[in-house]
Amino acid sequence: MSRTFSIIKPDATRRNLTGAINAVIEAAGLRIVAQRRVKLTQAQAEEFYGVHKERPFFGELVGQMTAEPVVVQVLEADNAVPKYREVMGATNPEQAAEGTLRKLFALSIGENSVHGSDSDENAAIEIAQFFSDDQIVG
Ligand code: UDP
């Protein structure tokens, strides 16, 4: 078993899609082993997306991520990181495969409904940013 970190982004929480997204996650065999709704601060969002700070979309991304609440989650499965990336679909919903979360729900490349870690190393860093070990119940 391994773990990945997920965020249900503000465009999705705003449209009341948390349950619909969780249903897709669970149907794919990922187990939600921690979950919390939180309004990200500017500092939290800037730290979280720090790797993108030189990119032209950084300011807009941080603005969107802090505008409304998000749901942060830890997901568990065999090969959780690649499995959830597959369930999410491509960053740009126009390129996302049928049935993926971004194909189903994303509004645009920026407001694309979900985040998922891109490596086991980043998953561990991102999980630790939001959850302590005792808050994750596998
Ligand atoms: N993003 C954006 N414009 C772009 C590329 C990315 O607004 O041209 C946003 C989008 O919300 C994306 C996030 O920045 O999910 C992080 O980008 P990344 O390339 O890491 O994509 P992801 O791992 O989320 O698929």
Side-chain angles (χ1 to χ4, degrees), residues 8 14 22 27 31 33 70 102 113 117 121 135-136:
I8 301 176
R14 184 173 74 228
N22 278 348
R31 188 170 289 275
V33 294
V70 300
R102 284 166 165 171
S113 302
S117 309
E121 188 190 1
Q135 293 172 325
I136 304 169

Side-chain angles (χ1 to χ4, degrees), residues 26-116:
E26 292 186 330
L30 289 145
R31 188 170 289 275
I32 301 164
V33 294
Q35 177 168 260
R36 183 169 82 250
R37 185 170 162 104
V38 60
K39 191 141 186 299
L40 296 181
T41 64
Q42 177 97 3
Q44 275 178 314
E46 285 178 356
E47 181 190 346
F48 187 79
Y49 279 121
V51 66
H52 294 305
K53 65 175 177 293
E54 307 302 335
R55 307 279 292 276
F57 58 82
F58 181 69
E60 193 182 354
L61 178 61
V62 169
Q64 286 167 353
M65 292 299 291
T66 55
E68 287 164 276
V70 300
V71 174
V72 292
Q73 308 176 304
V74 180
L75 309 180
E76 196 170 79
D78 285 334
N79 300 311
V81 166
K83 181 170 218 163
Y84 189 45
R85 296 291 301 189
E86 203 177 311
V87 171
M88 287 164 51
T91 309
N92 183 346
E94 288 175 13
Q95 285 154 18
E98 288 298 329
T100 62
L101 288 171
R102 284 166 165 171
K103 180 71 174 187
L104 287 167
F105 301 120
L107 300 175
S108 65
I109 191 170
E111 292 193 300
N112 58 6
S113 302
V114 284
H115 165 85

